[in-house]
Structure formats: C-alpha cells, structure tokens
Amino acid sequence: MMTGSNPQGHGRVIKADADAITEAATALQAGAVVAIPTETVYGLAADASNAEAVANIYRTKGRPDFNPLIVHVPDHAAAERLAQFDDRASMLAFRFWPGPLTLVLPLQPDAPVAKAVTAGLPTIALRCPAHPVMQAVLRQSGLFLAAPSANRSGGISPTRAEHVARSFGEAMPLVLDAGACAAGLESTIVAVRENGWQLLRPGPVTAAEIAHLLGEPPLPVTEARIEAPGQLASHYAPSKPVRLNALEATPDEWHIGFGGISGDDNLSTDGDLAEAAARLFDALHKADASDKGGIAIAPIPSEDIGVAINDRLRRAAA
Ligand code: TXA
Ligand code: MG
C-alpha cells in the first residue's frame, strides 16, 4: 500500500458502509491516507503517530509544512493522552464535543504524534468529531487521526465526495462517501492560553457561545505568527476572481444569491444562515466549474455562523 506511484491509496470513491469503514481502518493502520467525511468538511486522514503517513498528507495536499494539522480523537479521555486540559479546556470539551470545535492546548510531552503534526509548536490542535463515519473509523482503527481538509492546499474545502475526487484527480486516495457534510464549514479553532483564550478561526461554534461558557471575551490574535492557514489571506480560493456584497452580477459573472437575491444559485432562499453555511463550498465549487469568468456573491449578514461564512468569503476574494 505504501509502495508504487500512488502511496495515497486506491483512488476510489466508495459508499461509507460497514465494509468500507473496515477497509479504511485497515488501510490507515498500514500507513495509507484516506478521505473521510466529518460533520464540517471531508478530512484527509492518516495515522498521527506515523511520520511517513503524515508526510503523505502534506505531499498529497501540497501543503507548506509550517501549517500544523488537527488530530481527531474518539473522545475526551483519548484527547488527554495528547494534550493537557485545564478546567477551561475540559469545560469546552464537555460542552461542545463531539462537534465542530478544535482546541489548541499544551502538548503532552510523551504524546504519540509525529513531529510534523505539530510542526514544532509546543501546542496541539485536537477535535472530537460527531460524524458517525469518522467516529467509526477512529474506533475501529484505534488510531489518532491527523486530518486537514481533503483538498489541495489553498483550494476550496470539500463538502462532498465529488469535491475530493475533483481536487486530487489522479492522486486521489480512497474516499469514503457519506453525502454532503451537515455544517459545511471547518471547525471553530480556539486556543486556550494561560491568560485567556483566542479565536484562531471562526466556525460553526460561535465566539459568543465560547465567551458565554468561559465568562470572558477572547484575547486579540496577533498576526506575528501564522498558526492557522485560516489566517493566510488567500486560503479557500477558487481559481476565478470573486466579488463580494454583489446585489447583481455582470454578464460574465456567476451570481451566488442569498435570500431575496436569487442569483444563478442560491445559498438559502429562506435567508437561513446555517443552510447557507452548509451549501457555501458546494456553491463555490459549482461557480468555479461554470463557464463564467468571475464569481459574484450576494451580501451575507455577519451574525451567528454568518461571521464564519464572511471570513471564508473574504479569503476566497483575497
Ligand atoms: O473542520 C475541520 O477542522 C476540518 C475537519 C477535517 O476536521 N479540518 C481542517 O483542518 O480544517 P485544516 O488542516 O484545513 O485546518 C487546521 C487548522 C490550521 O489552520 C492549522 O494551522 C491549525 O488548525 N492548527 C493546527 N495545529 C495548531 C496549533 N498547534 N496551533 C494553532 N493552530 C493550529
Ligand atoms: Mg483547509
């Protein structure tokens, strides 16, 4: 499995039934990279303790290696083998796991993870996903799974198995297909620091929910060091120019509408932000594949998950 020109796997999209989950778990134990659905986006997973397998993630994505990876765990108890949880971290895990929240915490000194996973940082990003397929693969394999979004670095994140297949082409790994992801935006990333907490990436769990639980507002994030690629200006970019807050499109633009602004496609005719988040990346993939030269996107209110939608849109337009 690790030899030959396609070390990533078999290059097939298979329905995520019990046999497929067993095949994926076995392949991961042998060091392969497998694309697995989560409730946020599809992840490109590999055994976090296997340096060669982790290198294959970076190679497949074409990701610059200063970007560390999120490690997925089946539950809080497993997470404590990898990171040190203080009371605040435990509260967050208790409230939001399993679910779309990633915690950046101090790395346990003896954590069984390859150096490339944390890219040399003294911290580690952990997430306990809610998706039944990812949960089943974690439990059957018994592994901690490092998994960035299953797209080439800088491209649009995948919310469907077809997006994964299109992004990797010939280099496609084994892909477990469980249809569209429910949340559709990457997890919220929160760093728990000694003197407070930071929002490193907005996502489905809002900053207001975190602030309410911890009883304090976030610390500012200094841009001195890029810790989350979400902070790279041109992340999530389609291959065409993107124009935001567009009430109308020019004849050469594909118009993504919202609410009453109908467009060529519409994120949510009811103006529902959760529906818009779930559909956003699929709409960008469609817009990118259209015969128009540019993409225009209707205004989206910056409230609740709309904050995360606008964060991704700004980066798509940068
Ligand atoms: O929803 C998600 O989070 C998806 C699914 C597959 O779980 N994964 C995902 O991974 O979005 P990725 O690699 O595209 O984004 C991981 C983010 C990056 O922005 C990375 O820089 C940040 O997590 N990160 C990882 N370790 C970190 C650390 N120790 N400190 C700060 N940021 C970290
Ligand atoms: Mg990504």
Side-chain angles (χ1 to χ4, degrees):
M1 199 153 299
M2 295 298 299
T3 54
S5 60
N6 181 12
Q8 282 70 48
H10 303 292
R12 286 149 54 223
V13 176
I14 54 176
K15 186 168 166 281
D17 58 16
D19 287 347
I21 286 166
T22 300
E23 180 177 344
T26 306
L28 288 162
Q29 285 165 341
V33 170
V34 179
I36 305 174
T38 83
E39 72 275 30
T40 58
V41 299
Y42 278 70
L44 190 65
D47 175 0
S49 70
N50 178 337
E52 192 51 42
V54 172
N56 270 334
I57 294 180
Y58 284 97
R59 203 174 299 141
T60 307
K61 275 190 74 88
R63 158 171 283 197
D65 50 81
F66 58 81
N67 279 336
L69 303 173
I70 294 174
V71 177
H72 298 71
V73 296
D75 51 38
H76 187 177
E80 298 211 63
R81 288 187 51 207
L82 303 183
Q84 296 161 22
F85 282 72
D86 67 6
D87 288 350
R88 297 164 302 161
S90 295
M91 270 165 70
L92 288 167
F94 187 77
R95 168 75 179 78
F96 294 108
W97 283 1
L101 177 69
T102 294
L103 295 175
V104 171
L105 302 172
L107 181 64
Q108 289 284 18
D110 59 350
V113 292
K115 279 273 176 290
V117 168
T118 53
L121 294 168
T123 52
I124 186 167
L126 296 179
R127 180 161 105 77
C128 173
H131 197 290
V133 172
M134 184 53 138
Q135 272 288 338
V137 175
L138 282 164
R139 288 181 193 279
Q140 268 199 41
S141 67
L143 301 172
F144 297 120
L145 295 176
S149 51
N151 54 278
R152 285 191 192 280
S153 190
I156 307 166
S157 290
T159 56
R160 294 177 175 276
E162 306 88 271
H163 299 160
V164 181
R166 207 181 301 146
S167 183
F168 292 119
E170 294 279 284
M172 181 176 76
L174 179 64
V175 182
L176 299 191
D177 184 356
C181 302
L185 288 183
E186 302 87 345
S187 62
T188 305
I189 304 181
V190 165
V192 180
R193 310 289 190 195
E194 273 182 16
N195 55 338
W197 63 279
Q198 291 175 310
L199 183 72
L200 298 185
R201 180 173 70 187
V205 175
T206 65
E209 287 177 281
I210 308 280
H212 181 75
L213 184 74
L214 297 183
E216 56 183 6
L219 297 170
V221 178
T222 58
E223 301 278 340
R225 176 139 167 228
I226 294 169
E227 280 196 316
Q231 293 170 22
L232 291 175
S234 72
H235 209 61
Y236 316 107
S239 59
K240 298 172 181 177
V242 175
R243 192 164 63 82
L244 304 181
N245 297 312
L247 301 176
E248 286 175 357
T250 66
D252 193 37
E253 283 175 334
W254 176 267
H255 197 193
I256 298 176
F258 176 76
I261 299 173
S262 40
D264 297 297
D265 189 9
N266 195 295
L267 294 175
S268 169
T269 49
D270 298 336
D272 181 299
L273 287 169
E275 183 184 11
R279 293 220 45 236
L280 179 68
F281 289 140
D282 191 41
L284 287 174
H285 279 277
K286 267 191 207 146
D288 222 15
S290 83
D291 56 6
K292 299 289 173 73
I295 304 170
I297 306 176
I300 311 290
S302 262
E303 59 201 42
D304 301 324
I305 200 173
V307 175
I309 295 175
N310 280 298
D311 170 76
R312 305 304 191 275
L313 286 178
R314 274 194 299 280
R315 294 171 206 290

